[in-house]
Amino acid sequence: MKALNPATNQPIEPDFAFGGLAEVHRAATLADDAFDSYSHTSLTARAQFLERIADHLDAARKELAARASLEVGLPEAQLEAEAAKAGVQFRQFADVVRKGRFLQLSIDPALPERQPRPRMDHRLQKMAIGPVAIFGASNFPISYSVAGGDTASALAAGATVIVKAHNAHPGASEIQARVIRDAVRDSGFHEGVFSMLRGSGNAIGEALVEHPLIRAVTFTGSEAGGMALYRRAQLRPDPIPVFTEMTSVNPAFVLPSAQQSRGAAIGDGFGERMLVNVGQACLKPAILVGVQGEGFDVLRRALIKRIGEAPARTMLTPGIHASYVRGLDKLESAGAHRIAEGGEPNASLDGQSMLWEVDGAEFLANPVLADEVFGPSALLVKADNAEELLAIARALRGQLSATMHLEPEDMPLARRLLPQLERRTGRVVVNAFSHPQEVSFASIHGGPFPATSDSRFTSVGMTSIERFLRPVSYQGFPDALLPEPLREANPLGIPRLVDGQ
Ligand code: NAP
């Protein structure tokens, strides 16, 4: 295949080869062969490996950003920042590995005198789940792609990794894969620690999810694709966990006092965040809910102005552009009223910004209005009163994030709204928008279905490592046979729970 430049709709050199089922099997076998040695590397050696990837990423940053920009139509400077972020992410995980807290060490010492029966010594640590298959996203061609957070957290956990590259950016994927493979080689690790596959159609991805040596899957993309792979994994003779991150409209609720005092700023800020990455972001705020009144009108005018001034910009792929156009038609058919449109498209894959409006009753009557339209489109919902605003929150499906804009006078309503949002999202934001996302210990990029397939985990942040870990308990072990972190003298000095304390 050749990459496509979405700005010109023309192919870009060079050719890239596709793998087939034989390559899936070879990569899975290599990942399995490498697993025992890689998952038992010392924490220091593993941290150094992650830092080496970061160093190589830094060295390749300009080349990577230039190629990614050609392939996805986003500005080069933005992609350089994304590449820098990817390097930082590997360094953050190196720190997590060195500190060792992710091992969640627990020791229940032997109680030989306990009645009616003695207790044997139990020691628990988390260890890597096995070889992992990762489906990279299309919309962040570095930080959610081959050298993205899924790969960083899986390698940090001690899992071996096979990435199914997204065909939207084959050259950028290739550069990232080389960076990681160089670091594997420089670290003296088995080559099966990391592989990347590229294929056409669904066959390669399906074979990967069904391969008996694969022990977990992560995916970022459409609900249809994510659920197809999820179902496939559950139908295996030995079902495996699949962590999909699929769809979210990240609703913003503007409470009456905030709307009255800051309506224009909130409307403008929402528009600005909605347009980031041409609206092709999982955290795009897509639905803004306010309560009818003077403040709402001010907010509405600011938002209309912002959207009206937005030029049409290149979207990621012909498929995503086509699905955006279908999404707009679907909103219109579902009764949404178009109240603003941005500049006209100049090229075939340009996405034109759109703003739609419905009232609360219309929104509640038609669930299609709450579906994600991936691209620069947003929906304004005018609730009649606070009770209808709460009803709208209750009608929403699972989300990655939700926002409340509030002033002190809004606290009683915020206290009623919050439990509804907690039940439906992984992250609740006050007086800001959900994009951008921090990569930190307390950040969550997850949420109830259909935002993800497993609301107990996050795909971004330091706790994303937990997706690739499982607990093992060692009972009655001689000290010399125990994993180093669990030995009596605690040679690594990692904090451990002893008898739950
Ligand atoms: P996608 O079509 O779901 O594809 C994602 C990856 O999964 C690709 O590598 C694709 O391989 C593979 N795949 C999809 N369905 C598969 C199946 N049934 N069997 C095997 N492999 C499968 O997502 P996309 O191309 O990135 O974008 C399409 C839509 O996804 C967007 O319009 C948007 O709605 C959504 N999206 C959401 C997010 C988010 O963060 N929530 C991010 C990006 C996209 P092939 O390309 O080889 O088929």
Side-chain angles (χ1 to χ4, degrees):
M1 70 168 294
K2 280 187 172 52
L4 183 85
N5 180 338
T8 59
N9 213 358
Q10 294 299 314
I12 325 169
E13 295 298 334
D15 285 329
F16 292 96
F18 280 144
L21 300 189
E23 281 69 35
V24 171
H25 183 62
R26 175 144 179 266
T29 306
L30 281 169
D32 189 63
D33 289 347
F35 181 74
D36 285 338
S37 61
Y38 181 65
S39 61
H40 286 85
T41 45
S42 72
L43 297 181
T44 305
R46 204 185 301 166
Q48 283 169 346
F49 166 53
L50 299 176
E51 284 159 350
R52 215 165 254 141
I53 297 176
D55 291 343
H56 288 314
L57 266 176
D58 286 350
R61 189 187 302 165
K62 283 203 178 301
E63 179 200 3
L64 179 54
R67 178 71 198 190
S69 176
L70 273 183
E71 293 182 335
V72 301
L74 294 170
E76 207 170 312
Q78 179 183 330
L79 291 161
E80 257 196 63
E82 198 186 313
K85 182 181 157 190
V88 168
Q89 213 163 216
F90 274 94
R91 290 200 174 87
Q92 284 176 294
F93 276 109
D95 191 47
V96 165
V97 169
R98 271 211 178 83
K99 293 208 168 89
R101 285 197 298 260
F102 73 100
L103 296 169
Q104 296 177 35
L105 305 173
S106 232
I107 299 177
D108 298 336
L111 298 174
E113 312 301 334
R114 192 184 68 174
Q115 293 300 330
R117 74 182 162 79
R119 179 174 83 182
M120 287 180 78
D121 183 271
H122 286 64
R123 294 178 186 236
L124 179 143
Q125 72 164 357
K126 293 270 181 105
M127 68 168 288
I129 196 166
V132 170
I134 292 174
F135 289 75
S138 57
N139 54 339
F140 290 92
I142 307 167
S143 63
Y144 283 74
S145 183
V146 181
D150 283 346
T151 302
S153 52
L155 291 174
T160 52
V161 166
I162 303 173
V163 171
K164 150 71 172 78
H166 200 290
N167 288 335
H169 50 269
S173 299
E174 187 74 23
I175 296 169
Q176 294 170 73
R178 282 202 194 129
V179 156
I180 300 174
R181 289 184 61 84
D182 287 351
V184 170
R185 188 202 53 222
D186 296 351
S187 305
F189 293 161
H190 188 295
E191 63 165 327
V193 167
F194 174 84
S195 296
M196 184 179 82
L197 296 167
R198 193 182 293 113
S200 104
N202 293 341
I204 196 166
E206 291 172 359
L208 200 49
V209 168
E210 286 181 342
H211 198 286
L213 294 175
I214 297 297
R215 304 311 320 158
V217 177
T218 74
F219 169 96
T220 306
S222 65
E223 186 176 345
M227 287 314 294
L229 295 173
Y230 179 87
R231 290 196 188 94
R232 214 162 257 278
Q234 303 320 304
L235 291 175
R236 288 168 50 126
D238 56 341
I240 56 172
V242 179
F243 303 100
T244 66
E245 195 247 287
M246 300 176 290
T247 180
S248 178
V249 291
N250 309 298
F253 291 86
V254 189
L255 306 196
S257 289
Q259 189 177 272
Q260 190 59 35
S261 58
R262 297 185 278 118
I266 295 169
D268 189 57
F270 178 92
E272 191 253 325
R273 288 288 99 194
M274 186 286 258
L275 293 168
V276 170
N277 258 33
V278 202
Q280 301 159 119
C282 35
L283 288 171
K284 176 189 81 171
I287 294 186
L288 192 154
V289 186
V291 179
Q292 56 95 12
E294 201 187 306
F296 185 89
D297 298 337
V298 172
L299 178 155
R300 185 178 186 272
R301 277 198 296 277
L303 188 48
I304 287 175
K305 180 168 184 292
R306 170 67 81 156
I307 302 300
E309 288 170 354
R313 286 185 291 152
T314 310
M315 297 192 73
L316 293 163
T317 66
I320 286 175
H321 179 265
S323 133
Y324 176 59
V325 173
R326 278 198 305 277
L328 298 179
D329 287 346
K330 233 167 86 177
L331 280 180
E332 193 145 43
S333 311
H337 315 285
R338 188 182 306 197
I339 56 168
E341 50 194 69
E344 291 282 332
N346 293 314
S348 58
L349 299 187
D350 278 358
Q352 187 178 17
S353 305
M354 293 284 167
L355 181 64
W356 308 84
E357 186 176 42
V358 288
D359 63 30
E362 288 171 312
F363 185 82
L364 290 169
N366 198 340
V368 171
L369 293 168
D371 285 351
E372 182 183 14
V373 177
F374 198 68
S377 164
L379 179 68
L380 189 54
V381 183
K382 183 162 68 173
D384 249 1
N385 49 42
E387 291 310 314
E388 195 170 67
L389 179 139
L390 291 168
I392 289 165
R394 280 193 297 271
L396 290 167
R397 301 202 292 168
Q399 306 292 335
L400 292 172
S401 69
T403 293
M404 294 191 284
H405 292 273
L406 53 87
E407 289 292 313
E409 304 75 47
D410 292 314
M411 288 301 236
L413 179 55
R415 287 203 177 89
R416 293 179 66 202
L417 178 58
L418 181 57
Q420 303 307 326
L421 301 184
E422 286 171 329
R423 277 174 72 167
R424 289 168 179 82
T425 76
R427 185 159 60 101
V428 188
V429 182
V430 167
N431 289 343
F433 292 97
S434 50
H435 192 265
Q437 162 86 42
E438 285 295 331
V439 180
S440 63
F441 285 91
S443 63
I444 287 293
H445 191 71
F449 182 86
T452 78
S453 55
D454 194 334
S455 65
R456 295 169 298 170
F457 297 91
T458 176
S459 60
V460 176
M462 309 336 289
T463 57
S464 62
I465 194 173
E466 288 169 12
R467 294 170 298 168
F468 309 111
L469 295 170
R470 65 183 189 85
V472 179
S473 181
Y474 304 82
Q475 185 176 339
F477 264 50
D479 203 57
L481 191 58
L482 278 167
E484 215 183 355
L486 288 173
R487 290 191 191 148
E488 194 54 26
N490 195 6
L492 303 185
I494 299 171
R496 318 191 285 195
L497 277 183
V498 178
D499 256 337
Q501 304 296 318

